[in-house]
């Protein structure tokens, strides 16, 4: 594998800023996928609370449709109906409880590819902390998404060694972005999720506007987009 992408907020927003613009006049669609295996349980409620900024950013741009996806337990993988209501998404996420099981990142990426081929999603957000699968196979699935033009925004919790190698590669292969987070930086993560939503809902121009209004890491996007 090539050298991993730097896992800092600056690198993340720089990568988002380099993404191609989306067609104007279209409503964005985002798959928000989470690892709900047992290792995520201590921080699950925190992770469920970070999604609100996505809708705040998207509402001003004509809205964003979001579908929640998660895997957990023995071979369980589920996706919700589409929603444009942040409260509804929070309710759906709050109803999920973590169960012991192996990761299913490859399966998630294959599903995202199917949705992309049918023009149903514009971006994928994935929140996870580890990978227990064949990393080469997961990398192959990520490469397929890259060919389909579907960016994956990977938010990594913790410092698992395999995830730290693989997750930046998923972002690179799909021309997305990767960033680590923890419970000590919730505001920064909300802004970064808002930046993803702004891109999904309105393209790079919307991303610039969001950065000017929010400041911080999101504001630094202004210097990356020309």
């Amino acid at each position: 594998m090539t050298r991993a992408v730097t896992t800092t907020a600056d690198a993340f927003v720089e990568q988002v800023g380099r993404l191609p613009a989306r067609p104007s006049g279209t409503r964005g669609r985002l798959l928000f996928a989470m690892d709900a295996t047992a290792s995520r349980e201590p921080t699950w409620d925190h992770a469920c609370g970070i999604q609100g900024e996505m809708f705040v950013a998207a509402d001003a741009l004509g809205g964003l449709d979001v579908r929640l996806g998660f895997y957990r337990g023995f071979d369980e993988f589920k996706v919700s109906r589409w929603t444009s209501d942040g409260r509804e998404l929070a309710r759906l996420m709050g109803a999920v409880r973590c169960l012991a099981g192996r990761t299913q990142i490859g399966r998630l990426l294959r599903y995202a590819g199917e949705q992309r081929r049918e023009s149903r999603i514009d971006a994928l957000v994935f929140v996870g902390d580890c990978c227990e699968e064949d990393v080469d196979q997961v990398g192959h699935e990520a490469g397929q998404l890259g060919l389909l033009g579907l960016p994956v925004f990977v938010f990594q919790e913790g410092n698992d060694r395999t995830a730290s190698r693989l997750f930046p590669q998923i972002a690179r292969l799909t021309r997305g972005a990767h960033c680590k987070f923890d419970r000590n930086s919730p505001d920064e993560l909300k802004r970064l999720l808002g930046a993803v939503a702004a891109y999904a809902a309105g393209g790079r121009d919307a991303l610039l506007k969001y950065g000017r209004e929010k400041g911080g890491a999101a504001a630094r996007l202004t210097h990356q987009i020309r």
Side-chain angles (χ1 to χ4, degrees):
M1 288 189 177
T2 59
R3 185 175 58 87
V5 176
T6 304
T7 54
T8 65
D10 284 340
F12 180 85
V13 295
E14 179 179 349
Q15 289 170 307
V16 177
R18 290 174 177 170
L19 289 170
R22 286 189 59 251
S24 60
T26 59
R27 185 177 178 88
R29 282 192 160 188
L30 178 72
L31 175 61
F32 190 100
M34 306 181 75
D35 178 334
T37 57
S39 64
R40 298 290 321 290
E41 187 170 11
T43 56
W44 179 256
D45 290 340
H46 164 68
C48 289
I50 64 178
Q51 48 75 30
E53 186 70 16
M54 291 192 303
F55 291 96
V56 173
D59 282 345
L61 303 167
L64 179 71
D65 294 327
V66 177
R67 173 173 277 177
L68 172 67
F70 66 88
Y71 57 78
R72 65 179 183 178
F74 178 70
D75 202 34
E76 183 179 0
F77 175 74
K78 292 184 177 181
V79 293
S80 74
R81 58 186 175 274
W82 289 105
T83 181
S84 58
D85 185 343
R87 291 170 298 181
E88 173 67 5
L89 182 63
R91 186 192 67 78
L92 292 170
M93 296 174 74
V96 178
R97 290 294 174 263
C98 297
L99 293 175
R102 296 179 63 82
T103 63
Q104 301 178 58
I105 301 172
R107 183 178 182 181
L108 164 64
L109 298 183
R110 284 193 297 276
Y111 173 79
E114 294 168 1
Q115 296 297 297
R116 179 64 172 179
R117 290 184 183 93
E118 298 177 11
S119 301
R120 292 182 177 178
I121 56 174
D122 300 301
L124 166 62
V125 168
F126 171 63
V127 183
D129 66 341
C130 65
C131 178
E132 300 163 312
E133 304 159 60
D134 184 297
V135 295
D136 290 326
Q137 183 59 42
V138 174
H140 172 77
E141 299 295 344
Q144 295 299 309
L145 296 187
L147 293 175
L148 292 170
L150 180 68
V152 180
F153 303 97
V154 187
F155 291 88
Q156 179 186 343
E157 181 180 34
N159 296 292
D160 178 79
R161 182 176 298 179
T162 301
S164 295
R165 293 196 309 269
L166 175 64
F167 287 4
Q169 295 299 317
I170 293 175
R172 183 185 65 81
L173 289 166
T174 62
R175 299 179 179 86
H178 164 262
C179 189
K180 287 186 177 181
F181 77 95
D182 57 38
R183 283 178 289 179
N184 297 320
S185 55
D187 291 338
E188 191 81 333
L189 182 57
K190 287 179 181 178
R191 292 191 184 98
L192 294 171
L193 278 173
V196 172
Y199 167 77
R204 288 185 294 179
D205 289 343
L207 191 62
L208 281 170
K209 182 177 184 292
Y210 177 84
R212 289 194 297 268
E213 292 175 351
K214 289 298 181 178
R220 289 189 287 275
L221 286 172
T222 303
H223 303 295
Q224 305 298 329
I225 302 172
R226 294 291 182 267

